[in-house]
Amino acid sequence: MTLDRIDRQILALLQEDGRMTNVDLAERVGLTAPPCLRRVRALEQAGVIRGYHAECDPSQLGFPITVFAMVSLRSQAEQDLAAFENHVAAIPEVRECHMLNGEIDFILKIVAADLESFQRILTTKLTSAPNVASVKSSLTIRSSKSQVGVPIA
Amino acid sequence: MTLDRIDRQILALLQEDGRMTNVDLAERVGLTAPPCLRRVRALEQAGVIRGYHAECDPSQLGFPITVFAMVSLRSQAEQDLAAFENHVAAIPEVRECHMLNGEIDFILKIVAADLESFQRILTTKLTSAPNVASVKSSLTIRSSKSQVGVPIA
DNA sequence: GTTGAAACCTCAGATCC
DNA sequence: GGATCTGAGGTTTCAAC
């Protein structure tokens, strides 16, 4: 799907405020409501817009701790990589799992209620998982930037 | 703010679908619309809900590449840490910046249009930044999990 | 083919119980 | 928390460019 300037404006605005009303959106991009809504629906259908999400405060929901875990596996065969991905898919505290090139095979973003529960996840579910060679984890002190999505010019 | 079971249901649903109508939301959590809306507004006001965002496909927006960069600084004095945070705050391709404990001071999530433009960001804006000791970066091969927010029971 | 105008109909938000 | 009401917004239809 090719995106023109107005499409990009729409995406930038909805990325910023996903609950903006269609009439506001239309006004901001210089259209009337119907064509604006058609563009939004087209962007959704094309998968450019994957969904809409409320951003919640992890602390207030009982997850004040965020940890990054760098995982190296013993085998990098595709089936072993996929097996690890399936393994972490079932751990709700693991919010992100990215396969990387280089020495580190995966980086995980993990949330936890406290250090003890993080330690429990780490030892019972990660370091002890099949094929895991090493897990190096770092606590997040603070996050100065955590923007959603991508820059839209 | 204390969250009861219904509040958590509301948050889980809005985290999943941020554009759900209040009527649908109310029905799903077993309330009528007005009290449901009051709860949502209260959650927003208390900062439990920080905002709503459209999730866009980075590839279709011209950013198929995601890189994690592990940055170590020469000085960890608070003013130097803050200076680095301010520095990366102005780089739109840097989407996340988390300060970590341990050897690595910061982990950054960076998006780019291609390897060349990533390399350019890396050399002109990161390795050359004041106080930067080392930057180790890893390309993301694939992301098997990238959930928004936190687990809500 | 895309926009704009008008109609309809659902929803958000306020008020009161 | 629920019921009612009003105005605003979402959505469809159709005409025009």
Side-chain angles (χ1 to χ4, degrees), chain A residues 52-73:
Chain A
Y52 302 88
H53 306 282
E55 181 196 353
C56 299
D57 181 353
S59 296
Q60 293 201 53
L61 277 159
F63 295 93
I65 289 177
T66 300
V67 183
F68 285 90
M70 284 71 127
V71 179
S72 299
L73 301 185

Side-chain angles (χ1 to χ4, degrees), chain A residues 29-142:
Chain A
V29 302
L31 290 177
T32 54
C36 184
L37 186 62
R38 274 196 295 272
R39 280 169 180 266
V40 172
R41 292 285 173 269
L43 290 166
E44 288 169 353
Q45 197 133 24
V48 181
I49 297 176
R50 287 177 175 166
Y52 302 88
H53 306 282
E55 181 196 353
C56 299
D57 181 353
S59 296
Q60 293 201 53
L61 277 159
F63 295 93
I65 289 177
T66 300
V67 183
F68 285 90
M70 284 71 127
V71 179
S72 299
L73 301 185
R74 267 186 277 274
S75 158
Q76 283 78 33
E78 173 54 31
Q79 60 181 12
D80 295 318
L81 295 169
F84 180 77
E85 289 177 330
N86 286 334
H87 178 73
V88 300
I91 309 172
E93 290 87 354
V94 175
R95 304 309 287 174
E96 300 184 23
C97 174
H98 307 276
M99 190 189 297
L100 304 181
N101 73 338
E103 294 166 40
I104 298 166
D105 292 310
F106 290 97
I107 189 162
L108 311 180
K109 186 190 280 186
I110 305 171
V111 296
D114 48 45
L115 284 176
E116 192 188 333
S117 62
F118 166 68
Q119 210 56 250
R120 196 165 49 242
I121 296 164
L122 183 64
T123 55
T124 65
K125 294 182 174 174
L126 288 177
T127 56
S128 62
N131 195 31
V132 169
S134 83
V135 180
K136 293 184 180 178
S137 58
S138 287
L139 259 169
T140 300
I141 311 284
R142 68 182 185 226

